[in-house]
Amino acid sequence: MKTVGIYIETQEGQVKKTSLELATLARRAGRDSIGILFEDDAAEAAKMLGLYGVKRVFHITGDAVADYNPDVFARHMDDVIRDQGIEDFLAAFSDRGKDLMPRLAARLKAPLAVDCLDIDLDSSEAVQAIYSGKVNARFRLSGDVRLYAIRPNTVTAESGATGAAEVITVPASVSDTRVDVREVVRNVSERVDLTEAQIVVSGGYGMGSAESFRILEDLADVLDAAVGASRRAVDEGLAPYPMQVGQTGKVVNPELYVACGISGAIQHLAGMKSAKTIVAVNKDAEAPILKKAHYGIVGDLFEVVPLLTEEFRKAIHK
Ligand code: FAD
């Protein structure tokens, strides 16, 4: 049976949901999988990964990988992939996945499909949204090794296997690198990562000011959601760029997307239209977002959002 390789991401020692989604994808395809993990407590991660069907975890450890360095990480991943004869390798289309996978593809001279909405490991096909999400294209990858970066939340992570994955410790061996990491600025937000969130509450230019985003934060607190923004909100200084959703921002794929004071420009839709349920709050009944939304609320967001927060609070905490 062909084994699938997976780049395992962790956060504060916990395996990220996106990595469990990839393990689920491999298991559903009837494949064994092995993980490549840097940093952290490999034994804890291996326990969790075993439940999702991962058989072995290559834990690269040492000073050279203590901090993220894309060049060093990609070189170690390249070594494991070649040594283990891995033909299909998966990573989440996360910030890390976006950074690492093209480097890995260049090193391995392998094809890479990014932002995949679906993949078929048997036929080496990947479905990808192109032209700002207007078209879904199906690609076939050819080559001895094939790389896929999968959009978070496209697969529901399901445990069901038993036993921990075997941990194979690999001392980091790369010392020379062409990338010099000067500073690592960690995201200090307590909130769930925007690209991985099950619920996203976003604000647009209609929020009027940066302070007004407080009412979205309140709603997000109740829903355990991430907070996003439109580009105009970012350009006008209402929200920082890491919150931008859209063609030139982040692509999100949540169960629920609540768009507040966002008109629904095509470039914004490119980043959120795959959300399973879209709710839009807009005072203009003609706003294009209302044509895309499953539920539209025509009204002033400064009245509607606090009401939603209150009703969700009652419903969730009763
Ligand atoms: P507006 O279009 O100004 O809409 C504001 C909305 O708020 C209106 O619909 C209004 O009715 C509503 N509103 C105002 N006050 C209230 C209120 N009190 N209550 C309820 N509703 C209210 N945009 C992105 O979002 N992401 C991208 O990644 C992105 N990339 C781009 C890339 C390119 C190359 C280009 C050309 C554009 C890009 N844009 C992107 C910009 C995009 O075209 C739009 O300009 C932008 O999305 C508009 O943001 P908005 O909806 O917040 O603002």
Side-chain angles (χ1 to χ4, degrees):
M1 187 198 296
K2 288 179 184 166
T3 302
V4 175
I6 301 172
Y7 170 57
I8 306 295
E9 292 189 57
T10 56
Q11 190 169 28
E12 287 158 15
Q14 300 288 318
V15 177
K16 283 183 134 188
K17 184 169 68 68
T18 47
S19 298
L20 301 176
E21 290 168 7
L22 301 178
T24 304
L25 199 158
R27 193 161 135 253
R28 277 198 205 143
R31 304 286 187 96
D32 276 350
S33 57
I34 67 170
I36 302 180
L37 169 74
F38 297 85
E39 328 126 328
D40 291 318
D41 181 348
E44 270 308 304
K47 265 192 227 162
M48 176 62 87
L49 289 164
L51 301 177
Y52 290 80
V54 177
K55 299 290 178 209
R56 278 175 295 154
V57 174
F58 286 79
H59 182 214
I60 324 277
T61 164
D63 289 348
V65 294
D67 272 319
Y68 176 64
N69 179 313
D71 184 38
V72 175
F73 273 39
R75 285 160 73 176
H76 284 104
M77 289 159 79
D78 176 349
D79 287 346
V80 175
I81 290 168
R82 285 179 202 267
D83 288 353
Q84 297 302 309
I86 291 169
E87 294 180 12
D88 295 295
F89 190 80
L90 317 180
F93 193 57
S94 57
D95 289 345
R96 281 282 176 93
K98 286 177 197 171
D99 199 28
L100 281 171
M101 291 295 262
R103 291 171 194 276
L104 202 50
R107 293 191 67 83
L108 293 161
K109 297 192 172 41
L112 163 65
V114 296
D115 199 13
C116 301
L117 299 175
D118 192 16
I119 63 169
D120 181 340
L121 291 167
D122 293 328
S123 63
S124 305
E125 289 183 343
V127 176
Q128 200 181 50
I130 59 171
Y131 302 132
S132 294
K134 286 199 202 83
V135 178
N136 281 355
R138 184 178 289 274
F139 296 91
R140 176 169 294 134
L141 277 61
S142 59
D144 297 337
V145 184
R146 298 158 299 270
L147 308 181
Y148 306 87
I150 319 283
R151 186 183 289 189
N153 291 333
T154 48
V155 180
T156 305
E158 273 169 17
S159 58
T162 48
E166 178 193 358
V167 178
I168 295 148
T169 305
V170 182
S173 54
V174 176
S175 49
D176 60 315
T177 168
R178 286 176 294 174
V179 177
D180 178 17
V181 178
R182 297 281 173 90
E183 190 187 8
V184 177
V185 181
R186 297 197 190 280
N187 181 1
V188 289
S189 168
E190 303 267 296
R191 290 200 183 282
V192 43
D193 193 315
L194 195 53
T195 55
E196 296 167 23
Q198 294 283 2
I199 303 179
V200 174
V201 177
S202 273
Y205 185 61
M207 296 305 299
S209 70
E211 293 69 43
S212 304
F213 268 75
R214 184 66 247 166
I215 61 170
L216 299 189
E217 300 274 342
D218 291 343
L219 178 56
D221 284 344
V222 172
L223 296 175
D224 194 18
V227 180
S230 72
R231 175 160 164 178
R232 188 156 184 219
V234 170
D235 287 349
E236 302 282 345
L238 277 52
Y241 175 67
M243 282 170 61
Q244 185 176 314
V245 171
Q247 186 184 318
T248 45
K250 292 193 168 127
V251 175
V252 300
N253 189 24
E255 289 292 322
L256 172 65
Y257 187 86
V258 186
C260 305
I262 294 177
S263 59
I266 183 87
Q267 297 90 351
H268 187 80
L269 298 177
M272 43 62 78
K273 67 190 259 191
S274 63
K276 314 293 178 294
T277 303
I278 299 169
V279 174
V281 182
N282 202 300
K283 67 178 182 186
D284 175 8
E286 301 299 318
I289 190 88
L290 292 168
K291 294 194 177 64
K292 292 287 170 198
H294 301 92
Y295 300 94
I297 303 173
V298 178
D300 187 334
L301 68 89
F302 294 100
E303 290 168 19
V304 175
V305 173
L307 280 175
L308 287 176
T309 305
E310 217 28 64
E311 290 304 315
F312 280 125
R313 186 174 282 129
K314 280 191 227 154
I316 292 169
H317 299 296
K318 74 179 173 195

